[in-house]
Amino acid sequence: LSATQVLIKATLIVILASIGSRFPIYYILGDISIFLLYKVARKDFTYWPPLEGVVRLVVAGLVRVIVKFVVDFAAIIQFRNPCDLGGLYFSLNMFLPLLGLAFVLALDLAKENLSESILEFLTGLAMILGGSLIVLFGVFLLLINKEYRITFFTYETGGQMKRRLFLEGNDVMKADIITNNKAYWSPIRSKVKAWVKEGWATWEEEKPDWFTDQWKASVPEDMKPAKKKTGEIDDEDKTAEENEVEEALMVGGGEEQKGRRRSVLEVISGQKAVSSKVMPAGGIKKEIKEEEFLREMNRRGSMSM
């Protein structure tokens, strides 16, 4: 299949060269331009690496041109991936040179530069190669797994494929989208953000293979859970500590209890509290400073142990 495509392409270039030395260049440049315009029109010009600005455009342009050359003269089927040529364009790309060859021969554009016998030979060769390409491609599709046939005719772009895999796939497939260019997943950014925030704590505990430092660094900061500040106490820990204080101290009731409770919370949360009113076991109010309060708490804690 690849050899047939290369022979068709080479035959077309030879005939164009016989018409004029610049015609092969015009043909190659035109062919590449059509491909690039196709990618731009489908909003699929950006390549998958997470690059930004001018670098993103330069790299995308170079990679697109290189991939097109490789497919033209090698027909590597892996490049039918939507991130490269795409299935439909890959299949059409095999037959475009055949159409160009038929067009040149039909119009006798090389009649003045090639003898009649050579033209007859090239016409016969083009018919054989064209028929062989059609047959070989048909046999190839019949022999491969059925689920892969659609990949040669899919109209899906690279971004559409990545978004589909994220919405339909498992966590491993979802995680891949973060390592791709933002242009691929910007239409579903809110869903990606929600998925990251929801699963981050679980991933920190389970440590899946894809949850690496490199992957974490590629996640935008606004998608990551908020980091705890130094000395910050969780709500659950704060509640447990409050209960411990209430059990250790005998406090009065009513409005005085609320005031004393606020003072205790101020000490626990690290805020400035000059003094707190507590009710010792004897029932006499006594003001103690923060340092004395904490020492008393430590002492009572050691006694309970």
Side-chain angles (χ1 to χ4, degrees):
L1 188 61
S2 299
T4 304
Q5 179 183 345
V6 172
L7 285 174
I8 294 173
K9 192 91 171 182
T11 303
L12 176 58
I13 291 175
V14 168
I15 295 176
L16 291 175
S18 67
I19 300 173
S21 58
R22 296 183 180 180
F23 277 86
I25 299 177
Y26 295 155
Y27 164 71
I28 293 174
L29 291 178
D31 190 28
I32 293 176
S33 298
I34 292 173
F35 171 64
L36 295 179
L37 289 174
Y38 168 82
K39 284 293 184 180
V40 171
R42 301 224 53 214
K43 298 180 180 180
D44 194 32
F45 181 77
T46 299
Y47 206 51
W48 67 264
L51 303 174
E52 300 289 343
V54 178
V55 177
R56 172 178 66 90
L57 297 176
V58 172
V59 170
L62 289 175
V63 172
R64 297 297 185 195
V65 171
I66 293 172
V67 170
K68 182 65 168 63
F69 265 108
V70 172
V71 173
D72 282 346
F73 294 98
I76 299 176
I77 62 174
Q78 284 76 10
F79 285 124
R80 75 187 188 280
N81 188 297
C83 292
D84 297 310
L85 260 69
L88 181 62
Y89 199 94
F90 178 89
S91 299
L92 291 176
N93 192 69
M94 288 193 294
F95 292 93
L96 287 177
L98 180 61
L99 294 176
L101 183 58
F103 178 78
V104 172
L105 293 174
L107 296 181
D108 289 332
L109 297 179
K111 185 175 182 180
E112 298 180 357
N113 305 91
L114 297 175
S115 63
E116 186 175 348
S117 59
I118 294 178
L119 284 175
E120 290 179 356
F121 170 76
L122 291 176
T123 301
L125 179 63
M127 294 177 64
I128 294 173
L129 292 176
S132 299
L133 182 63
I134 295 173
V135 172
L136 290 173
F137 187 61
V139 172
F140 172 77
L141 292 177
L142 289 175
L143 294 178
I144 65 174
N145 293 333
K146 294 181 180 180
E147 58 267 25
Y148 293 143
R149 292 174 186 169
I150 189 63
T151 62
F152 287 89
F153 304 100
T154 178
Y155 194 59
E156 197 173 42
T157 65
Q160 290 171 347
M161 180 189 70
K162 294 295 182 179
R163 294 192 290 273
R164 174 177 57 81
L165 293 177
F166 176 85
L167 296 174
E168 300 177 0
N170 53 28
D171 281 349
V172 176
M173 301 171 74
K174 291 178 185 291
D176 177 68
I177 203 170
I178 295 291
T179 63
N180 287 262
N181 196 285
K182 293 179 181 179
Y184 277 21
W185 50 274
S186 57
I188 58 169
R189 193 181 195 281
S190 60
K191 296 182 179 180
V192 176
K193 182 177 180 179
W195 170 73
V196 171
K197 283 185 173 293
E198 181 181 352
W200 192 279
T202 302
W203 304 330
E204 287 283 8
E205 294 179 1
E206 298 179 354
K207 303 293 183 184
D209 294 338
W210 52 266
F211 193 64
T212 61
D213 292 339
Q214 183 178 1
W215 187 88
K216 294 178 186 178
S218 64
V219 178
E221 289 299 325
D222 66 301
M223 292 187 177
K224 299 177 182 178
K227 295 182 179 179
K228 299 179 184 178
K229 296 180 180 179
T230 304
E232 185 178 352
I233 303 175
D234 288 342
D235 291 339
E236 294 182 0
D237 296 337
K238 188 179 293 184
T239 302
E241 198 161 351
E242 290 173 8
N243 293 335
E244 183 179 347
V245 171
E246 292 179 355
E247 292 175 0
L249 297 176
M250 294 177 60
V251 298
E255 295 299 325
E256 290 185 5
Q257 180 178 353
K258 295 180 180 179
R260 287 192 292 273
R261 182 178 177 84
R262 284 195 297 269
S263 297
V264 171
L265 292 178
E266 287 175 355
V267 174
I268 293 174
S269 61
Q271 297 179 7
K272 293 182 179 179
V274 178
S275 64
S276 301
K277 291 184 178 181
V278 298
M279 181 78 73
I284 302 175
K285 292 182 180 179
K286 180 181 178 182
E287 284 196 4
I288 63 173
K289 294 183 179 180
E290 178 179 338
E291 295 180 356
E292 295 176 356
F293 175 79
L294 293 176
R295 283 200 299 271
E296 181 67 13
M297 286 294 301
N298 291 333
R299 184 182 70 79
R300 296 189 185 194
S302 61
M303 289 176 61
S304 64
M305 294 177 63

